Amino acid sequence: MDYVYLGRSGLQVSRFCLGTMTYGDWEMDEASSLAVIERVLDAGINFLDTADTYGRGTSEEIIGKVLKGRRDRVIVATKFKVRTEEGPNGEGASRYRIMKQVEASLKRLNTDYIDLYQVHRPDPYTPLDETLRALDDLVTQGKVRYIGCSNFEAWRIVESLWVSEKMNLERFITNQPSYNLFNRYIDQEILPACERHGLATLAYSPLAGGWLSGKYRAGQPLPADSRGERMNPDLPENRAKFETVERLAQLADAMGIKLGQLALAWLLRRKDVIPVIGVRNDRQLQDNLGALEVKLGDEELKLIDQICPNPYKDFSQDGSFWFREPRAYRFK
């Protein structure tokens, strides 16, 4: 297993993070979840991501059982903000709620500290300085080691860093957005902002909900008990996805690898991007680990961009625009 520093911090984590959203009450039972996490840890993955809402809290409880006897060898990330209870303060990133939610997560995780505490989604109603001051207090108290955000736009990330610097508060070291070959929206501003300011990108849904694993193929029945079981394959957007999957699969076949390994290797080419993978069984784990051995060259990356083009343009890299060649214009 390869390890990298988490953003600009000195904390080292595995190149993959295990996402545990489906562990617990929602899809996988406790016994199956514990067995998978044990195999994941044995494979060298030391980074686990959860949230207070996953499985109605049972995901954190399962991780708490895994941590027994090995707390110092596992990096645990969890989140807060999304609604977990009724009432006016049942959601949000206020000081009131942060102080309440951290205690609940610590209890479920059966630990006295959280390695990475993340704002699950932006809270437009709570000032960032209130959120950051509360998180800074948790770091001072030793209940949290590092802080991060999730689903933040570039401007929110930069604003948060400005507030942290101005008020001498802890700064975010991670952002967790959706990122994959089908969803490259963060290429425009979010990823450059994170790279510029030293935030690691925890990429959730790296296989686009199963599309980039090869689970859904043109002309084949949709697998039962899958997220796409009720999908309409005849919708134009789905037909376009089937076509893209076939072209990517052909490229992967030519390289002698699996489609999912190609998609993950594309993410792994950036050292500050850590895919948050979902694992249900040992086969999926081994397939994902195989992506660590894939090295994409310039030609492969060019072909991938042709199949899944980046929809955004970095104007600073193109010298043909008039504002880069002022002598070409004479204003009268």
Side-chain angles (χ1 to χ4, degrees), residues 263-309:
L264 291 174
W266 180 80
L267 292 172
L268 290 168
R269 80 194 193 284
R270 296 178 182 267
K271 66 180 179 66
D272 288 328
V273 173
I274 300 171
V276 181
I277 59 173
V279 176
R280 291 172 175 269
N281 52 58
D282 192 61
R283 177 186 60 78
Q284 290 181 350
L285 174 61
Q286 297 306 317
D287 285 348
N288 289 337
L289 293 176
L292 295 170
E293 307 301 322
V294 178
K295 305 301 179 185
L296 298 176
D298 292 340
E299 186 61 30
E300 287 85 7
L301 291 173
K302 183 178 179 180
L303 290 172
I304 290 173
D305 279 338
Q306 290 174 358
I307 299 170
C308 299

Side-chain angles (χ1 to χ4, degrees), residues 83 86 125 189 313:
R83 180 171 293 279
E86 297 301 321
Y125 305 107
E189 294 183 340
K313 178 71 175 180

Side-chain angles (χ1 to χ4, degrees), residues 155-213:
W155 71 267
R156 291 186 193 273
I157 293 171
V158 174
E159 182 185 18
S160 76
L161 297 176
W162 177 79
V163 171
S164 292
E165 181 175 356
K166 180 182 178 183
M167 302 184 68
N168 194 28
L169 302 173
E170 282 291 318
R171 71 197 305 276
F172 293 140
I173 64 165
T174 60
N175 181 44
Q176 187 171 158
S178 173
Y179 188 38
N180 55 63
L181 282 170
F182 277 1
N183 187 7
R184 297 183 59 173
Y185 80 101
I186 73 168
D187 280 336
Q188 183 179 27
E189 294 183 340
I190 296 175
L191 190 58
C194 288
E195 291 178 339
R196 179 65 177 265
H197 297 289
L199 278 74
T201 295
L202 309 182
Y204 72 80
S205 194
L207 297 181
W211 278 98
L212 294 170
S213 69

Side-chain angles (χ1 to χ4, degrees), residues 10-294:
L11 179 66
Q12 294 192 61
V13 297
S14 49
R15 284 302 273 123
F16 284 132
C17 174
L18 176 67
T20 62
M21 184 179 72
T22 61
Y23 295 6
D25 269 359
W26 284 353
E27 294 186 26
M28 292 177 60
D29 61 29
E30 181 177 307
S32 300
S33 301
L34 289 171
V36 169
I37 297 175
E38 289 287 346
R39 290 196 290 270
V40 165
L41 295 177
D42 288 342
I45 295 176
N46 72 339
F47 195 12
L48 308 181
D49 178 74
T50 184
D52 55 10
T53 59
Y54 292 171
R56 303 178 185 87
T58 56
S59 176
E60 287 185 331
E61 291 174 354
I62 288 170
I63 291 177
K65 294 180 179 181
V66 170
L67 294 179
K68 188 175 182 180
R70 65 180 100 182
R71 179 66 187 92
D72 60 339
R73 303 198 303 271
V74 182
I75 307 302
V76 177
T78 192
K79 314 180 197 72
F80 68 93
K81 190 280 178 188
V82 180
R83 180 171 293 279
T84 57
E85 58 185 313
E86 297 301 321
N89 293 300
E91 66 175 325
S94 67
R95 168 179 285 274
Y96 173 90
R97 191 158 190 279
I98 288 172
M99 295 305 179
K100 180 178 180 180
Q101 291 305 110
V102 75
E103 295 298 337
S105 287
L106 287 169
K107 182 176 180 180
R108 286 190 292 263
L109 289 166
N110 193 30
T111 183
D112 55 4
Y113 68 92
I114 294 167
D115 296 292
L116 177 64
Y117 203 35
Q118 305 160 93
V119 187
H120 206 154
R121 297 183 185 279
D123 180 355
Y125 305 107
T126 301
L128 262 174
D129 60 290
E130 178 180 343
T131 299
L132 288 167
R133 175 70 72 185
L135 292 173
D136 184 85
D137 287 345
L138 292 181
V139 173
T140 300
Q141 295 168 12
K143 295 179 179 180
V144 169
R145 299 289 171 85
Y146 299 95
I147 63 173
C149 56
S150 178
N151 299 297
F152 269 43
E153 304 96 325
W155 71 267
R156 291 186 193 273
I157 293 171
V158 174
E159 182 185 18
S160 76
L161 297 176
W162 177 79
V163 171
S164 292
E165 181 175 356
K166 180 182 178 183
M167 302 184 68
N168 194 28
L169 302 173
E170 282 291 318
R171 71 197 305 276
F172 293 140
I173 64 165
T174 60
N175 181 44
Q176 187 171 158
S178 173
Y179 188 38
N180 55 63
L181 282 170
F182 277 1
N183 187 7
R184 297 183 59 173
Y185 80 101
I186 73 168
D187 280 336
Q188 183 179 27
E189 294 183 340
I190 296 175
L191 190 58
C194 288
E195 291 178 339
R196 179 65 177 265
H197 297 289
L199 278 74
T201 295
L202 309 182
Y204 72 80
S205 194
L207 297 181
W211 278 98
L212 294 170
S213 69
K215 182 186 297 186
Y216 311 124
R217 302 292 291 269
Q220 297 182 9
L222 296 174
D225 299 324
S226 70
R227 297 179 187 178
E229 184 180 9
R230 296 180 179 85
M231 175 181 63
N232 182 355
D234 295 324
L235 290 177
E237 57 267 30
N238 288 332
R239 289 202 300 268
K241 286 183 178 180
F242 282 125
E243 181 180 346
T244 301
V245 165
E246 291 307 312
R247 295 177 65 189
L248 289 171
Q250 290 175 10
L251 175 58
D253 289 342
M255 296 175 62
I257 61 176
K258 296 184 177 181
L259 173 59
Q261 293 171 339
L262 175 70
L264 291 174
W266 180 80
L267 292 172
L268 290 168
R269 80 194 193 284
R270 296 178 182 267
K271 66 180 179 66
D272 288 328
V273 173
I274 300 171
V276 181
I277 59 173
V279 176
R280 291 172 175 269
N281 52 58
D282 192 61
R283 177 186 60 78
Q284 290 181 350
L285 174 61
Q286 297 306 317
D287 285 348
N288 289 337
L289 293 176
L292 295 170
E293 307 301 322
V294 178

